[in-house]
Amino acid sequence: MKRRVIAAVAVAMSLGLTATACGGDDGDDGGKATDGKGKTLTVWIMEGTNPDARPFFKEAGEAFEKKTGAKIKVEYQQWATAQKKFTTAIEGGPDQVPDVAEVGTTWVPQFAETDALVDVTDEVKKSGLGDDLVEGLKDAGTLDGKQYGMPWYAGVRSLVYRKDLFAKHDIKPPTTWQELRTAAKTLKEKEPNLVAFPVAGGAEMFAAPFVWGAGGELATESGGSWKSGINSPEAVKGIEFYTDLATKDKVSPAKVSTWTEKEVGEAWNKSEIGMSIGGNWTPKAIVDKNPSLKGKLGAVPLPGENGGMSKSFLGGSYLSTFDTDKKELAWEFVKMLTTGEFAAKWAEQTNYFPGQNSELEKIAAKKDPLVEPFAKQMLEAGATVPKTKAYGEIQASKVIPRMVQSILTGKASVQEAADKAADDMDAIFAKDK
């Protein structure tokens, strides 16, 4: 069934068709709106995703009050400190947590395991929204078959390149790994002052697509226990291809071995990059900082080893309801923001993608060459990190970046580095049992 839904969406995209949202403009299931007169919802939202968030929530709050009688009180949080604040609030009980909150997809398993989040599986089914949710994003917020909130917005990484330089040197956008290597080597030869393709040692989500593209996994679950897959033959093959671009093909200089995604973006802003992995938000961000590159950028999905697409991390945020005495009212607000008019407005204002296939199709149907490739990547080849709170600690410990950096600096072979990373991951998984 999943394949048929995704295939149908892909066909609609290719024909430029626009679908109708399954749940209507507000995701209403036809029932009477919850009476919220005299009540106020506390809503936690991450700061910075939407540069114009306050007017957005003023409009949304007015619409919600008109519909239910309830007011909303938005409290803006910082990404850097939010996870700890959530944890502290959850430990404090129902009186300390918000009624509704923006929750990063990688945090959902951690909070769900504490029973702090409300299982909305039945509500999603009743509203008729389930089949319209982007599969990879829906999966990210589903644990043991239970869905903990609604996908709100998401981003995915594909390949961004200098269209003008590709045309100048007769380079075709890569559709396989070998074509990616050839394109990068040609750029290095023809444009020696550029970083042809940054193998950024500090960017975990630049390395992950090559693990997945080779058929590997970051980790696997069996009987409720997680075990690292980063040193499997398939994963090692992908890591080797990625790091060989720097260590053997020399398309990425030594200085890039410590770069994070932020440093890659800064180099783009200085016109120092020929091609790189980048998010659907990247082209606009580059042009905003470097107007000289307007009209000179292109994008394609991340190529698979022998064609097709390599999977890419599909990350973003859920709007989740916490287990408070206003959870029914909170669900009404979540539905309103994650479907129809307000979902589309948020996506437009933030340059992220909405969580519904129907809204994503509308974006794809516009045939924007700097948007459609990312939409295709998200619909057909989005992936998530292991759904366990232990993986948050693995990311915080920078296990994969340290693995990549040890290879790039020559301190370990690919297999040695992968084995060390696997040991580190398994130690964290074991501690979490």
Side-chain angles (χ1 to χ4, degrees), residues 118-121 124 133 138 141-142 145-151 318:
V118 177
D119 171 12
V120 295
T121 308
V124 173
L133 300 180
K138 179 182 177 181
T142 302
K146 298 177 181 179
Q147 187 173 329
Y148 292 94
M150 279 282 285
Y318 261 54

Side-chain angles (χ1 to χ4, degrees), residues 342-356:
F342 285 103
K345 284 185 177 180
W346 185 263
E348 182 179 357
Q349 292 176 19
T350 61
N351 289 307
Y352 280 84
F353 287 139
Q356 292 175 274

Side-chain angles (χ1 to χ4, degrees), residues 392-406:
E393 184 176 343
I394 289 169
Q395 289 184 309
S397 301
K398 301 188 182 303
V399 173
I400 290 179
R402 286 192 285 110
M403 173 192 73
V404 174
Q405 289 169 359
S406 69

Side-chain angles (χ1 to χ4, degrees), residues 145-201:
K146 298 177 181 179
Q147 187 173 329
Y148 292 94
M150 279 282 285
W152 189 19
Y153 67 89
V156 71
R157 292 164 183 81
S158 294
L159 200 64
V160 180
Y161 64 93
R162 283 283 299 273
K163 185 172 62 174
D164 57 329
L165 298 182
F166 272 52
K168 178 182 177 181
H169 303 302
D170 196 27
I171 305 171
K172 294 182 179 179
T175 61
T176 66
W177 284 7
Q178 186 53 50
E179 289 178 5
L180 173 63
R181 168 176 275 146
T182 299
K185 291 173 72 172
T186 302
L187 280 173
K188 178 179 181 293
E189 177 189 351
K190 301 294 186 180
E191 302 287 342
N193 294 326
L194 294 183
V195 177
F197 182 81
V199 180

Side-chain angles (χ1 to χ4, degrees), residues 422-432:
D423 288 343
D424 292 343
M425 290 172 72
D426 286 341
I428 294 173
F429 285 138
K431 186 172 63 175
D432 189 53

